[in-house]
Amino acid sequence: MRNCFYYWGFAAWLAYYINHPLYTPPSYGQKQVNFALIMCLTCEAGNFSIHIALSNLRKDSKGSKTCKIPYPTKNPFTWLFYFVSCPNYTYELGTWIGFTIMTQCVPVGLFTLLCFIQLTVWAKDKHYTYLREFKDYPSLRMSIIPFLL
Ligand SMILES: *[C@@H]1O[C@H](CO)[C@@H](O)[C@H](O)[C@H]1NC(C)=O
Ligand SMILES: *[C@@H]1O[C@H](CO)[C@@H](O)[C@H](O)[C@H]1NC(C)=O
């Protein structure tokens, strides 16, 4: 229920601004939109790749109760696993940053900021669970932003 209100509420609010007759297009016009679109699509592909990698990991460990450390695979999108524990959240954040650049709109930026906070909370939680569970956990990994956070 709460999620529904949150997402539909934001969708309506953002749509109101983006489709308003007084909406001003991004400063750098079509170039900015194209750049942001590529960023969104790249991150979506990344998000999808991580989803597949995690789901394969779960498939492999079916039967045994122990969960495993996810590692990068042959798919370059999963190489973020070298640097962060939750690349799916990194990509999700990237998607929303792309959308913010595309629309160049303050409410969208606010939505992205709230996402960033929530995703960071989840990522840190997961990261510390990994650290607690695995003594040999890769030490280079951060929670969500490579080398930073
Ligand atoms: C993102 O990754 C984390 C850590 O691997 C996982 O716990 C979580 O379920 C994933 N989120 C989604 C929406 O798949
Ligand atoms: C990323 O993938 C997860 C499923 O693994 C999905 O729940 C989430 O909405 C996706 N994020 C974006 C920004 O598309």
Side-chain angles (χ1 to χ4, degrees):
M1 203 58 173
R2 199 190 51 184
N3 276 355
C4 245
F5 272 117
Y6 180 78
Y7 285 110
W8 283 102
F10 254 110
W13 193 45
L14 300 187
Y16 175 79
Y17 276 85
I18 296 168
N19 297 292
H20 198 279
L22 293 178
Y23 171 78
T24 38
S27 317
Y28 297 93
Q30 197 58 40
K31 247 190 227 141
Q32 185 171 339
V33 172
N34 292 346
F35 167 81
L37 183 65
I38 291 170
M39 184 170 173
C40 283
L41 293 178
T42 309
C43 288
E44 283 295 291
N47 192 21
F48 180 70
S49 305
I50 301 299
H51 183 68
I52 298 295
L54 287 176
S55 125
N56 283 340
L57 200 68
R58 271 192 293 268
K59 230 182 287 158
D60 288 346
S61 57
K62 202 160 60 185
S64 71
K65 267 220 196 100
T66 52
C67 74
K68 287 199 219 146
I69 305 178
Y71 282 106
T73 66
K74 285 201 205 90
N75 176 349
F77 283 114
T78 66
W79 295 352
L80 255 188
F81 269 128
Y82 285 119
F83 306 109
V84 293
S85 293
C86 300
N88 55 348
Y89 296 150
T90 313
Y91 283 123
E92 180 146 358
L93 180 64
T95 305
W96 292 119
I97 291 176
F99 189 54
T100 308
I101 295 173
M102 187 187 291
T103 54
Q104 197 177 300
C105 194
V106 172
V108 180
L110 184 67
F111 177 72
T112 302
L113 181 70
L114 291 182
C115 277
F116 173 56
I117 294 169
Q118 180 63 78
L119 293 174
T120 303
V121 170
W122 284 336
K124 281 201 171 291
D125 208 42
K126 189 78 189 176
H127 183 65
Y128 289 122
T129 306
Y130 280 139
L131 285 180
R132 225 181 305 121
E133 250 170 66
F134 303 104
K135 295 281 162 278
D136 54 342
Y137 196 66
S139 56
L140 189 60
R141 282 191 204 182
M142 302 298 279
S143 306
I144 179 166
I145 313 277
F147 308 113
L148 280 180
L149 192 74

